[in-house]
Amino acid sequence: MDNRDYKIENIPSEKFAFANTDDILHDKKLKTKQKSYFQDVLSRFAKNKSSVVAAVIIAVLVLFAIIGPMLANKNYVNSYLTDTMLVNYQYLKPRLSFMHGTGIWDGSKVVEVSQNKYDVYRGMEQEIGYPIIEDVISTTTTVDAFKQSTTLYKLRIDTYTSLNTFTQTLTADQYQALQAWQDENEIQVILPRVDTQVVGTNNIWYKSDMKGNAKLDSEGNFIPSYYTTGNDDYTSKMRLANDPWTEENPSAGWRYAQRTGTSDSGYNYVVRLSAYNYFIYRYGFEPNFVFGTDARGFDIFSRLASGARFSFILAITVSLINLFIGAIYGAVEGYYGGVVDIVMERISDILSGIPFTVVTVLFSLHLASKIGIVPSLLFAFISTGWIGMASRVRMQFYRFKNQEYVLASRTLGASDFRIMFKHIFPNSLGTIITGSVLVIPSVIFSETSLSYLGIINLDSASVTSIGAMLSAGQTCMTSAPHVVFFPALFIALLMISFNLFGNGLRDAFNPSTRGVE
């Protein structure tokens, strides 16, 4: 070293001092709480806002499927199997009681009617005592080439109170029970009946009291409720049907029921009923359906909830069974490899080449008659549905089976079963869980597609599904769009939410995203 360039200086000893002579140095203790694997996954999942919103929507839909059927009126739902009169309550619009008069979700609809139909609505209001026409939006009068004027009314009407009357045959006990209920509640259910031999094709009814006896004006004439002819001359020709059982004085009876049968066999009574009031009598509450009713008069809210419950149960069952079969099959493939893997993969390839729709059709044609449509559909989903899960598990086993901790476990004498399901399988759990969750919307969508296309039929009075409701509603999409709207909204929310939820799960379980903001 050249002393001309570098000069060594003497540093005084007082410049040196010992640091921390009294303190003993230690590593600082971690102040943060230790997180488990799943706590870390949950923490990272919570940072994905869209996935959290999707999880909330899924939870709401599942809660709807669980609680929805419980909120429905049991008396009304149980009548789906036996009551043929429910068709009188078809296509009722969705209605919330507190929305009455707003024109939105209040059970009303806008129609364009002639003068004749307008008069009918006004007459029906007088007869049943409920308002039907909520608003006259516009009135248009046109004159044709023959100088005949035609008036059209654009109205907003209540679809509940505008229900048509219908004729029903009651036994003597049913007839007397209904009469007693009318007297007790002061609600007229039985309406007067016309003499069809006199009326012909016309439709004219008369006011009556609670016993069904026709009311008369000051001059002793019948008071018409409404008529469809537009000609007042027809009014004087109309009369209520005579009581057939007053044979000693046929002209004395101006009642509302026609008695059939004999005293030996028991009499039946043919009566004309107010649909709205009969609903109150039969089911114990005023008709008020949040989602409206379908073509058979079934409550869409309860049907959608029970259909969603069925779809969820089917999808979760399929997912769990496919997870069980696929996990075992894929674990054996991935762990042993070699010839075992090649043979098992070829079997999977053969099964995966069979179209799912063909399998479903064959099972529906030949197996459904023996074990039922639902078990046959379950078999169709399971027959090839486990292949995707097996493939995921196989790839994870190839990824982890040569890791050091697996080799150490094998060296210590662990059995193949313990290595497979104690050491390797838990490390691949993230991918497996994500795949299993995404099977649920896939099964629901497949079932919906099959039902909508008519390949399977799950629509009955006791059982339904989302796809069956969509299929049933496609025939009335223009006249009653609410029948198909709510099932379509449910399946759309479900598919979108599960897609976002699956993306969040995938990122949360992916170790490479740990610590990434």
Side-chain angles (χ1 to χ4, degrees):
M1 180 178 294
D2 192 347
N3 290 331
R4 292 176 301 178
D5 298 328
Y6 301 95
K7 182 168 64 174
I8 301 177
E9 296 182 357
N10 292 324
I11 302 175
S13 60
E14 60 269 14
K15 294 289 186 180
F16 294 92
F18 289 102
N20 300 321
T21 55
D22 298 328
D23 297 334
I24 301 176
L25 298 178
H26 296 282
D27 291 335
K28 291 184 178 180
K29 185 178 180 181
L30 294 175
K31 296 182 179 180
T32 58
K33 293 183 179 180
Q34 184 180 4
K35 284 185 178 181
S36 67
Y37 174 69
F38 284 102
Q39 285 177 332
D40 182 59
V41 168
L42 183 61
S43 176
R44 284 184 284 128
F45 178 81
K47 295 178 182 179
N48 191 330
K49 303 303 180 184
S50 61
S51 296
V52 172
V53 173
V56 172
I57 294 175
I58 292 172
V60 171
L61 296 179
V62 172
L63 194 64
F64 168 73
I66 296 173
I67 300 179
M70 303 176 187
L71 300 178
N73 185 277
K74 297 299 182 183
N75 189 22
Y76 189 71
V77 173
N78 292 337
S79 68
Y80 292 169
L81 297 171
T82 57
D83 200 338
T84 59
M85 289 186 291
L86 290 180
V87 70
N88 294 291
Y89 307 103
Q90 63 178 186
Y91 299 138
L92 294 177
K93 297 291 184 179
R95 182 165 76 171
L96 296 172
S97 56
F98 61 87
M99 298 292 287
H100 179 71
T102 62
I104 303 173
W105 217 313
D106 62 347
S108 66
K109 68 176 180 179
V110 176
V111 295
E112 192 172 53
V113 300
S114 63
Q115 178 71 50
N116 186 42
K117 189 64 175 178
Y118 177 80
D119 292 338
V120 169
Y121 283 145
R122 286 302 187 193
M124 290 173 66
E125 288 179 333
Q126 296 177 23
E127 184 177 41
I128 65 176
Y130 297 107
I132 295 176
I133 301 175
E134 296 184 352
D135 184 26
V136 180
I137 300 174
S138 63
T139 304
T140 306
T141 303
T142 59
V143 180
D144 59 19
F146 299 97
K147 297 183 178 182
Q148 298 291 327
S149 62
T150 302
T151 303
L152 295 178
Y153 293 86
K154 190 174 183 180
L155 311 173
R156 179 175 294 278
I157 64 170
D158 189 332
T159 58
Y160 289 75
T161 55
S162 62
L163 290 168
N164 292 322
T165 61
F166 61 94
T167 301
Q168 183 69 18
T169 301
L170 303 178
T171 64
D173 292 338
Q174 292 172 335
Y175 177 75
Q176 295 299 333
L178 180 51
Q179 284 281 26
W181 186 87
Q182 285 188 139
D183 295 336
E184 180 182 355
N185 295 275
E186 297 185 351
I187 298 177
Q188 183 171 327
V189 180
I190 303 176
L191 301 176
R193 301 184 68 245
V194 295
D195 189 336
T196 55
Q197 292 181 352
V198 177
V199 176
T201 59
N202 300 323
N203 186 22
I204 303 178
W205 310 106
Y206 292 88
K207 291 183 180 180
S208 63
D209 58 21
M210 293 304 301
K211 289 295 185 180
N213 296 318
K215 291 183 177 180
L216 305 179
D217 59 18
S218 58
E219 298 179 357
N221 299 319
F222 294 108
I223 305 173
S225 284
Y226 65 90
Y227 51 90
T228 62
T229 61
N231 187 343
D232 291 341
D233 293 339
Y234 281 92
T235 306
S236 60
K237 298 179 182 178
M238 299 303 104
R239 63 182 178 83
L240 298 177
N242 288 331
D243 284 338
W245 59 90
T246 56
E247 298 176 358
E248 67 283 357
N249 189 5
S251 61
W254 299 94
R255 297 213 175 194
Y256 54 94
Q258 178 183 358
R259 191 170 67 169
T260 61
T262 62
S263 58
D264 296 332
S265 61
Y267 290 110
N268 291 325
Y269 298 86
V270 181
V271 293
R272 173 174 167 262
L273 303 174
S274 164
Y276 192 89
N277 288 339
Y278 182 79
F279 189 100
I280 301 174
Y281 163 73
R282 175 67 177 79
Y283 304 109
F285 66 100
E286 289 192 33
N288 190 60
F289 300 103
V290 178
F291 290 171
T293 60
D294 60 14
R296 291 178 289 182
F298 294 167
D299 176 21
I300 295 178
F301 180 88
S302 62
R303 294 284 285 177
L304 182 59
S306 60
R309 177 188 290 184
F310 170 80
S311 296
F312 275 124
I313 292 175
L314 175 67
I316 293 173
T317 303
V318 170
S319 178
L320 292 176
I321 295 176
N322 287 341
L323 172 61
F324 178 76
I325 299 174
I328 296 177
Y329 197 90
V332 173
E333 282 185 298
Y335 183 79
Y336 290 105
V339 177
V340 174
D341 182 31
I342 293 174
V343 173
M344 296 180 73
E345 271 296 286
R346 299 294 76 77
I347 296 174
S348 299
D349 291 341
I350 294 172
L351 292 176
S352 62
I354 303 175
F356 172 71
T357 304
V358 175
V359 174
T360 306
V361 171
L362 291 176
F363 276 38
S364 300
L365 291 176
H366 301 287
L367 194 61
S369 59
K370 299 179 180 178
I371 63 174
I373 184 65
V374 175
S376 66
L377 182 63
L378 185 64
F379 278 123
F381 276 113
I382 295 173
S383 60
T384 57
W386 56 267
I387 296 176
M389 181 59 64
S391 178
R392 294 188 188 93
V393 175
R394 173 178 174 269
M395 287 188 293
Q396 295 301 312
F397 267 71
Y398 266 112
R399 176 184 177 186
F400 292 110
K401 72 176 183 179
N402 291 323
Q403 296 290 326
E404 288 79 0
Y405 67 89
V406 176
L407 297 176
S409 180
R410 185 180 291 112
T411 302
L412 292 174
S415 64
D416 290 344
F417 184 85
R418 181 178 178 83
I419 293 173
M420 291 166 62
F421 295 102
K422 181 68 176 178
H423 299 289
I424 301 178
F425 189 80
N427 285 282
S428 59
L429 203 57
T431 303
I432 295 173
I433 290 177
T434 304
S436 298
V437 169
L438 292 179
V439 166
I440 295 175
S442 176
V443 171
I444 293 177
F445 185 76
S446 297
E447 178 274 320
T448 300
S449 301
L450 294 171
S451 299
Y452 184 79
L453 295 173
I455 296 176
I456 59 174
N457 183 16
L458 294 172
D459 191 24
S460 65
S462 57
V463 179
T464 190
S465 67
I466 305 300
M469 295 186 69
L470 288 172
S471 179
Q474 65 179 331
T475 58
C476 58
M477 292 180 65
T478 55
S479 59
H482 67 280
V483 176
V484 73
F485 172 76
F486 292 104
L489 178 63
F490 182 91
I491 195 68
L493 286 175
L494 187 69
M495 299 306 297
I496 294 172
S497 300
F498 261 109
N499 187 33
L500 296 175
F501 181 68
N503 291 338
L505 279 183
R506 179 198 61 203
D507 296 339
F509 278 108
N510 188 357
S512 63
T513 63
R514 189 172 299 170
V516 178
E517 296 297 330

